[in-house]
Amino acid sequence: MTGKLVLAGIVLAEVYLAVFLQLLIHEAGHLFFGLLSGYDFCSFRIGSFMWAKEAEGVRFRRLTITGTGGQCLMAPPEMKDGKMPVVMYNLGGAILNLFTAGLFLWFGLLLLKLWIVAAGCFFMAAVGFVFAIINGIPMRYGMMDNDGFNARMLAKDKKAMRAFWLQLKINQQTGMGLRLKELPNRWFFMPPDADLKNPMMAALGVLYCNRLMDLSEIEEADEQMKHMLGLECGLNNLYRCLMVCDRMYIAMVTGRPEAEVAAFMTPEQKKFMKAMRDYPSVIRTAYGYALLVEKDETKVQSLLHRFEKCAKSYPYQSEILAEREHLAELKKRSTKEVRA
């Protein structure tokens, strides 16, 4: 029995290690092929561990995004004739997974006599092939589109390619400490409804709404978000649920009835907010809900503590500044209600 338990422990450890290493290899593939394509490093994340380029240099940060095991974000090269290299950067992770899967399969066959080492190699090969398939073959998942889907879409659509450039450029600037309201006006616009069917164009719509929020034009932001959420468009579930969080915030800070605010708390939204409980805008929304709807002071203080803990390691400090302003507005609304 003891021998079987030891064997099971070894197998589980090798599988876990294989998944971790192939995830690391996947993101390294994006980095490697991105650099070859003329991109610059912005951030590299495995799980919740993130290294991000900031104004002071590369810093260690923490960020968790449900549905993603890691992410390598880079600053894009300038576009030429409306084009930029997109395929190798997007598919770089799957390519390196596939290459290393073949390499480890070969090593495993060479080392059959060393069965523990060979088994580890075969696990690495199997996980690598799986990663290459689920990331390389174009597919849409609940929270995010995979790399193959993005590569195929961007290669066919110049508008989407420009939208991709803008997203990466905005990410670079916010990572360096700039707020959305400080970036050029021309980078932000709401695409026509027909274009919003494309996920990249829908992401531009999200950024436009986020900038309106940062400019304190919350009523306009609410109208735009309500419109987008009512469309059959390319919004993934991550963006949809974050938009609902923002609409909840606006409803609370503008003093709408508690029943209207509570209506946003569908089972799906509750599940999302639980999964993303350490994300700044989710914490802010939960804080407002506890303060103004549930009126639970213990929960309010717990959420403020969670926000401060998140703020210390969050990679985009410009977002933290904006969220502090939103928290202050919620507190001000609470004070008004008490006085009334």
Side-chain angles (χ1 to χ4, degrees), residues 17-32:
L17 183 62
V19 171
F20 175 79
L21 289 177
Q22 283 294 359
L23 180 59
L24 184 64
I25 288 167
H26 180 85
E27 299 307 332
H30 287 303
L31 179 62
F32 176 73

mmCIF file of all heavy atoms in Angstrom, residues 17-32:
data_model
loop_
_atom_site.group_PDB
_atom_site.id
_atom_site.type_symbol
_atom_site.label_atom_id
_atom_site.label_comp_id
_atom_site.label_asym_id
_atom_site.label_seq_id
_atom_site.Cartn_x
_atom_site.Cartn_y
_atom_site.Cartn_z
ATOM 1 N N LEU A 17 3.995 19.332 -12.188
ATOM 2 C CA LEU A 17 5.189 19.995 -12.705
ATOM 3 C C LEU A 17 5.093 20.192 -14.220
ATOM 4 O O LEU A 17 5.485 21.239 -14.748
ATOM 5 C CB LEU A 17 6.436 19.182 -12.353
ATOM 6 C CG LEU A 17 7.783 19.800 -12.761
ATOM 7 C CD1 LEU A 17 8.002 21.129 -12.047
ATOM 8 C CD2 LEU A 17 8.926 18.827 -12.453
ATOM 9 N N ALA A 18 4.562 19.189 -14.907
ATOM 10 C CA ALA A 18 4.417 19.282 -16.364
ATOM 11 C C ALA A 18 3.473 20.416 -16.750
ATOM 12 O O ALA A 18 3.754 21.190 -17.669
ATOM 13 C CB ALA A 18 3.904 17.953 -16.922
ATOM 14 N N VAL A 19 2.349 20.541 -16.043
ATOM 15 C CA VAL A 19 1.398 21.616 -16.329
ATOM 16 C C VAL A 19 2.039 22.978 -16.080
ATOM 17 O O VAL A 19 1.934 23.896 -16.900
ATOM 18 C CB VAL A 19 0.119 21.462 -15.463
ATOM 19 C CG1 VAL A 19 -0.770 22.696 -15.601
ATOM 20 C CG2 VAL A 19 -0.649 20.212 -15.882
ATOM 21 N N PHE A 20 2.737 23.104 -14.945
ATOM 22 C CA PHE A 20 3.380 24.380 -14.615
ATOM 23 C C PHE A 20 4.439 24.750 -15.652
ATOM 24 O O PHE A 20 4.489 25.891 -16.126
ATOM 25 C CB PHE A 20 4.010 24.284 -13.224
ATOM 26 C CG PHE A 20 4.802 25.514 -12.848
ATOM 27 C CD1 PHE A 20 4.156 26.657 -12.402
ATOM 28 C CD2 PHE A 20 6.181 25.516 -12.969
ATOM 29 C CE1 PHE A 20 4.875 27.799 -12.078
ATOM 30 C CE2 PHE A 20 6.918 26.655 -12.649
ATOM 31 C CZ PHE A 20 6.253 27.805 -12.199
ATOM 32 N N LEU A 21 5.292 23.783 -15.999
ATOM 33 C CA LEU A 21 6.378 24.072 -16.936
ATOM 34 C C LEU A 21 5.854 24.380 -18.336
ATOM 35 O O LEU A 21 6.367 25.283 -19.009
ATOM 36 C CB LEU A 21 7.353 22.899 -16.988
ATOM 37 C CG LEU A 21 8.210 22.703 -15.731
ATOM 38 C CD1 LEU A 21 9.083 21.453 -15.861
ATOM 39 C CD2 LEU A 21 9.085 23.926 -15.471
ATOM 40 N N GLN A 22 4.817 23.652 -18.775
ATOM 41 C CA GLN A 22 4.280 23.939 -20.103
ATOM 42 C C GLN A 22 3.549 25.282 -20.123
ATOM 43 O O GLN A 22 3.525 25.957 -21.151
ATOM 44 C CB GLN A 22 3.358 22.815 -20.560
ATOM 45 C CG GLN A 22 4.076 21.573 -21.045
ATOM 46 C CD GLN A 22 4.883 21.797 -22.323
ATOM 47 O OE1 GLN A 22 4.923 22.884 -22.892
ATOM 48 N NE2 GLN A 22 5.539 20.746 -22.791
ATOM 49 N N LEU A 23 2.955 25.679 -19.001
ATOM 50 C CA LEU A 23 2.359 27.014 -18.916
ATOM 51 C C LEU A 23 3.443 28.077 -19.017
ATOM 52 O O LEU A 23 3.295 29.074 -19.736
ATOM 53 C CB LEU A 23 1.595 27.155 -17.591
ATOM 54 C CG LEU A 23 0.892 28.488 -17.325
ATOM 55 C CD1 LEU A 23 -0.131 28.789 -18.416
ATOM 56 C CD2 LEU A 23 0.220 28.470 -15.963
ATOM 57 N N LEU A 24 4.544 27.847 -18.318
ATOM 58 C CA LEU A 24 5.682 28.762 -18.389
ATOM 59 C C LEU A 24 6.241 28.816 -19.808
ATOM 60 O O LEU A 24 6.538 29.903 -20.340
ATOM 61 C CB LEU A 24 6.766 28.292 -17.410
ATOM 62 C CG LEU A 24 8.000 29.175 -17.255
ATOM 63 C CD1 LEU A 24 7.636 30.526 -16.675
ATOM 64 C CD2 LEU A 24 9.030 28.478 -16.362
ATOM 65 N N ILE A 25 6.372 27.655 -20.440
ATOM 66 C CA ILE A 25 6.857 27.581 -21.821
ATOM 67 C C ILE A 25 5.910 28.319 -22.766
ATOM 68 O O ILE A 25 6.343 29.025 -23.678
ATOM 69 C CB ILE A 25 7.019 26.109 -22.251
ATOM 70 C CG1 ILE A 25 8.238 25.489 -21.542
ATOM 71 C CG2 ILE A 25 7.151 25.969 -23.763
ATOM 72 C CD1 ILE A 25 8.310 23.979 -21.653
ATOM 73 N N HIS A 26 4.600 28.160 -22.524
ATOM 74 C CA HIS A 26 3.611 28.812 -23.377
ATOM 75 C C HIS A 26 3.788 30.329 -23.364
ATOM 76 O O HIS A 26 3.853 30.970 -24.419
ATOM 77 C CB HIS A 26 2.204 28.436 -22.918
ATOM 78 C CG HIS A 26 1.120 29.054 -23.744
ATOM 79 N ND1 HIS A 26 0.661 28.488 -24.910
ATOM 80 C CD2 HIS A 26 0.410 30.220 -23.587
ATOM 81 C CE1 HIS A 26 -0.275 29.257 -25.435
ATOM 82 N NE2 HIS A 26 -0.453 30.314 -24.647
ATOM 83 N N GLU A 27 3.866 30.903 -22.167
ATOM 84 C CA GLU A 27 4.004 32.360 -22.074
ATOM 85 C C GLU A 27 5.375 32.811 -22.584
ATOM 86 O O GLU A 27 5.487 33.882 -23.174
ATOM 87 C CB GLU A 27 3.779 32.819 -20.635
ATOM 88 C CG GLU A 27 2.387 32.504 -20.089
ATOM 89 C CD GLU A 27 1.261 33.010 -20.976
ATOM 90 O OE1 GLU A 27 1.447 34.018 -21.692
ATOM 91 O OE2 GLU A 27 0.186 32.384 -20.980
ATOM 92 N N ALA A 28 6.395 31.979 -22.362
ATOM 93 C CA ALA A 28 7.720 32.292 -22.894
ATOM 94 C C ALA A 28 7.697 32.311 -24.426
ATOM 95 O O ALA A 28 8.418 33.094 -25.063
ATOM 96 C CB ALA A 28 8.745 31.279 -22.395
ATOM 97 N N GLY A 29 6.842 31.470 -25.013
ATOM 98 C CA GLY A 29 6.696 31.459 -26.472
ATOM 99 C C GLY A 29 6.129 32.775 -26.984
ATOM 100 O O GLY A 29 6.589 33.309 -28.003
ATOM 101 N N HIS A 30 5.118 33.301 -26.280
ATOM 102 C CA HIS A 30 4.596 34.618 -26.661
ATOM 103 C C HIS A 30 5.695 35.673 -26.567
ATOM 104 O O HIS A 30 5.831 36.529 -27.454
ATOM 105 C CB HIS A 30 3.433 35.008 -25.741
ATOM 106 C CG HIS A 30 2.174 34.246 -25.993
ATOM 107 N ND1 HIS A 30 1.540 34.226 -27.222
ATOM 108 C CD2 HIS A 30 1.406 33.482 -25.161
ATOM 109 C CE1 HIS A 30 0.448 33.484 -27.143
ATOM 110 N NE2 HIS A 30 0.351 33.011 -25.907
ATOM 111 N N LEU A 31 6.460 35.627 -25.478
ATOM 112 C CA LEU A 31 7.529 36.607 -25.277
ATOM 113 C C LEU A 31 8.588 36.493 -26.368
ATOM 114 O O LEU A 31 8.979 37.505 -26.979
ATOM 115 C CB LEU A 31 8.164 36.394 -23.898
ATOM 116 C CG LEU A 31 9.323 37.319 -23.542
ATOM 117 C CD1 LEU A 31 8.885 38.771 -23.505
ATOM 118 C CD2 LEU A 31 9.922 36.906 -22.186
ATOM 119 N N PHE A 32 9.037 35.281 -26.638
ATOM 120 C CA PHE A 32 10.106 35.056 -27.619
ATOM 121 C C PHE A 32 9.681 35.502 -29.020
ATOM 122 O O PHE A 32 10.388 36.285 -29.682
ATOM 123 C CB PHE A 32 10.490 33.571 -27.628
ATOM 124 C CG PHE A 32 11.517 33.210 -28.659
ATOM 125 C CD1 PHE A 32 12.838 33.582 -28.500
ATOM 126 C CD2 PHE A 32 11.156 32.501 -29.799
ATOM 127 C CE1 PHE A 32 13.790 33.256 -29.465
ATOM 128 C CE2 PHE A 32 12.095 32.172 -30.764
ATOM 129 C CZ PHE A 32 13.424 32.552 -30.591
#
